[in-house]
Amino acid sequence: MCGIIGYVGQKQAAPILIDGLKKLEYRGYDSSGIGIITLSDHKVVLRKTNGKIQNLEDLLKSHPVPESSLGISHTRWATHGVPNRINAHPHADCTGKILIVHNGIIENYEELKVMLIKKGHKFVSETDTEIVAHLIEEYYKDDLLKATRQAIKHLKGAFALGVISSDYPDLLIAARIGSPLIIGLGKNENFIASDVPAILEYTRKIIYLKDGQLASITKDKVQVFNFDGKLVVPKVDQVTLKIDAVKKQGFAHFMLKEIHEQPDVLRQMFHSRLKGNHVHLEDLKLADKELKNISRITIVACGTAYHAGMVGKYLIEALSGVPVTVDVSSEFRYRNPIVDRKTLVIAVSQSGETADTLAAVREAKRKGAKIVCVCNVIGSSLARESDGILYTHAGPEIGVASTKAYTAQLGMLYLLAIKLGTIHKFIARKEILKLVKGLKHVPMLFTEILKSKENIAQIARDNSHMGCFLFLGRNINYPSALEGALKLKEISYIPAEGYAAGEMKHGPIALIDEYRAVVCIAPESDTYDKMISNMQEIRARKGKVIAIATAGDKTISHHAPHVIYVPKTDKLLTPLLVVLPLQLIAYYIAVARGCDVDQPRNLAKSVTVE
């Protein structure tokens, strides 16, 4: 959450900072700000405002900043203090000479604030961030790097920091624990940022700053230290991401573009991971013998990734016979989870920086469990803390509501489940081969569904006035119902609930009336007849039914006025297909209601706070 970009070099800093902020706006967008050190007289200049980055751009047009080659900027997702100009970053110390930007949460900020107030410091904001600037000031004696290092030793929590001072007009300092921060290496210029897309236009040489590291950065030199001041040699990575990956390329929204990218994401995944009829997971780093000795599996994840994990439970148990539990990461470590050396913990996270999932992994490691992560971001904290890594390689996902990252997580869990099934020999080999063949066809089936998106769009528009939605699914598509409901409420703000359809009679049926639409996920399956019964019960109470069914189903239209068809496939593969209509329903309803699809209110992409 929140986006940081900093620049030191020979060019004008402000345009680079604003351009970078725009590419980070998915990380937070309730306020933003920019702070620079002037080129002529080395003075601090601040511009801050509430609202989206466009507001900051407008402010800079009416109140431009002087020439500068050093600056930091920030787009915020509020934690401490309401989104307004005062609480926006950067924040300054008492002297106004030191500026900082911060991602994360300082857990002990209140006690530090009390201590600093006793020493005469005066605070103007409600944020936890401001105390860091004052703490650096407290230690500052003509050495900004040393003062920063001394200050951060007092901080508890997660943070990524960018620091500049008018006393050092060519120095940018960065530090991190728990929140992502990268350094971009250019020619006569260097950068810091929360994520690669912010600086992709300027450099492809990246240092992924590790936990417990800080860096001294000038236009032509980068030095990385640990928090004790010892110099370390960082690894420099070459980023291969294409600039087009972070542009809309003619689509109305990033979300729609990313929905359309899903066939290619899965096609590339299956092409590289399925060699003949064998699954190759080279970064898993666990031998077949180790996997066979696993007695239980626990999946930990949050939000959309949690729903992918739930599908993974059905798959792994069906194919391997290994018992699986799925935990919301934020609850896992608070229930004294039963994991040991014979437990495999699968952590699922798009960003690899999800604070709750990282905390769950650390608890599992403490108890001796093996960790495998399903992750999209190379070099993330989660990847570094895991024994094995299953990168999804879905590319950057700019839309806040996850689409292609979810299907990529599903795809990877299918591959892992097939591998476990092969090792444990729980089901017949011919069943495994049938599933592999079906999996290879899924990208083509995605393309078929996208060809009918106008029909889905019309159904969505016809129901966009409904005040509430209920999503129902059974068995392996119960998680699909949860994901469909989450997508809708994330971007349209319509109250929506996902339920196992068999539970409808145990309470939710009380909500059914002519004002509620019910999305029934009813592809061909062993529970199809039971879904039909659910639909009849809904219609008897005047609920509006939207059905997602298998192409060729001749009876479904008798039970639902609106039907979206998906191609026929193996029943275990249906979660991959039905999610596409669910995403499109949410998207087109949100568009019809005039909502900001890519940047829904109160949300941010990477949840790096607990």
Side-chain angles (χ1 to χ4, degrees), residues 261-304:
E261 287 174 342
Q262 290 175 119
D264 282 340
V265 168
L266 291 177
R267 190 175 292 112
Q268 290 169 19
M269 177 185 289
F270 299 151
H271 176 74
S272 64
R273 303 283 191 170
L274 287 171
K275 304 296 184 183
N277 293 315
H278 297 282
V279 175
H280 289 263
L281 303 175
E282 61 276 3
D283 293 326
L284 187 58
K285 296 178 182 175
L286 294 176
D288 289 0
K289 184 178 179 180
E290 289 180 277
L291 292 173
K292 194 168 185 178
N293 287 334
I294 293 295
S295 62
R296 71 166 70 90
I297 293 172
T298 295
I299 301 175
V300 292
C302 300
T304 285

Side-chain angles (χ1 to χ4, degrees), residues 122-429:
K122 295 187 184 332
F123 293 85
V124 297
S125 78
E126 304 168 275
T127 67
D128 57 336
T129 300
E130 191 184 358
I131 65 105
V132 184
H134 288 259
L135 201 58
I136 294 172
E137 177 198 352
E138 187 66 24
Y139 284 104
Y140 180 60
K141 293 179 177 61
D142 299 322
D143 189 334
L144 185 63
L145 183 66
K146 183 178 179 181
T148 303
R149 182 163 54 83
Q150 290 175 310
I152 59 182
K153 285 187 175 183
H154 293 274
L155 305 180
K156 295 178 182 178
F159 58 81
L161 298 174
V163 184
I164 59 174
S165 168
S166 57
D167 287 345
Y168 293 83
D170 59 353
L171 176 64
L172 172 61
I173 292 173
R176 73 154 284 184
I177 277 187
S179 289
L181 197 63
I182 62 172
I183 301 170
L185 307 177
K187 187 176 181 180
N188 297 318
E189 60 183 2
N190 290 305
F191 310 79
I192 63 170
S194 298
D195 203 355
V196 171
I199 57 176
L200 191 59
E201 199 168 315
Y202 308 101
T203 182
R204 292 181 176 276
K205 292 182 178 179
I206 302 294
I207 294 172
Y208 292 94
L209 209 59
K210 295 180 180 179
D211 274 357
Q213 291 184 341
L214 75 161
S216 168
I217 306 164
T218 63
K219 67 180 176 63
D220 48 22
K221 187 176 183 181
V222 173
Q223 290 182 298
V224 178
F225 306 85
N226 64 25
F227 282 3
D228 291 325
K230 184 179 178 181
L231 197 64
V232 298
V233 179
K235 180 187 175 187
V236 178
D237 286 289
Q238 187 78 22
V239 175
T240 58
L241 193 66
K242 294 180 181 178
I243 292 177
D244 282 349
V246 293
K247 295 182 178 179
K248 290 181 184 175
Q249 295 179 285
F251 286 93
H253 299 93
F254 278 110
M255 183 178 179
L256 187 59
K257 171 180 175 271
E258 288 154 8
I259 287 171
H260 278 261
E261 287 174 342
Q262 290 175 119
D264 282 340
V265 168
L266 291 177
R267 190 175 292 112
Q268 290 169 19
M269 177 185 289
F270 299 151
H271 176 74
S272 64
R273 303 283 191 170
L274 287 171
K275 304 296 184 183
N277 293 315
H278 297 282
V279 175
H280 289 263
L281 303 175
E282 61 276 3
D283 293 326
L284 187 58
K285 296 178 182 175
L286 294 176
D288 289 0
K289 184 178 179 180
E290 289 180 277
L291 292 173
K292 194 168 185 178
N293 287 334
I294 293 295
S295 62
R296 71 166 70 90
I297 293 172
T298 295
I299 301 175
V300 292
C302 300
T304 285
Y306 174 71
H307 300 153
M310 290 181 71
V311 176
K313 170 185 168 66
Y314 284 96
L315 290 170
I316 293 169
E317 290 186 341
L319 298 183
S320 73
V322 179
V324 181
T325 58
V326 187
D327 260 302
V328 176
S329 298
S330 56
E331 292 295 322
F332 176 77
R333 69 190 190 281
Y334 295 116
R335 65 169 182 84
N336 189 25
I338 300 172
V339 296
D340 55 29
R341 294 183 184 280
K342 297 194 76 175
T343 304
L344 175 65
V345 170
I346 303 172
V348 188
S349 168
Q350 188 280 139
S351 67
E353 303 293 345
T354 309
D356 288 316
T357 301
L358 282 166
V361 161
R362 288 162 187 156
E363 174 66 10
K365 285 177 72 175
R366 188 182 68 80
K367 293 190 169 191
K370 290 287 187 183
I371 311 295
V372 168
C373 75
V374 177
C375 179
N376 191 37
V377 179
I378 295 171
S380 65
S381 297
L382 184 58
R384 290 198 297 271
E385 297 217 16
S386 299
D387 299 297
I389 310 165
L390 298 175
Y391 283 124
T392 55
H393 296 299
E397 191 176 63
I398 307 301
V400 168
S402 182
T403 51
K404 66 176 181 176
Y406 175 72
T407 53
Q409 288 164 356
L410 286 183
M412 191 57 71
L413 289 167
Y414 274 93
L415 293 173
L416 180 57
I418 289 169
K419 183 173 182 65
L420 290 169
T422 302
I423 291 169
H424 285 269
K425 299 179 180 178
F426 183 70
I427 62 173
R429 178 64 180 165

Side-chain angles (χ1 to χ4, degrees), residues 514-547:
E514 64 267 35
Y515 305 109
R516 180 177 288 265
V518 185
V519 179
C520 294
I521 303 168
E524 188 177 278
S525 72
D526 296 339
T527 57
Y528 175 80
D529 290 340
K530 296 182 186 299
M531 282 300 305
I532 294 297
S533 297
N534 289 132
M535 292 162 67
Q536 291 171 331
E537 292 159 358
I538 294 161
R539 295 197 72 192
R541 290 158 179 83
K542 299 183 179 180
K544 310 300 182 187
V545 177
I546 301 168

Side-chain angles (χ1 to χ4, degrees), residues 34-49:
I34 179 173
I36 57 99
I37 308 299
T38 60
L39 203 57
S40 58
D41 54 2
H42 303 164
K43 297 288 172 105
V44 167
V45 175
L46 266 176
R47 297 284 186 269
K48 305 198 291 183
T49 183

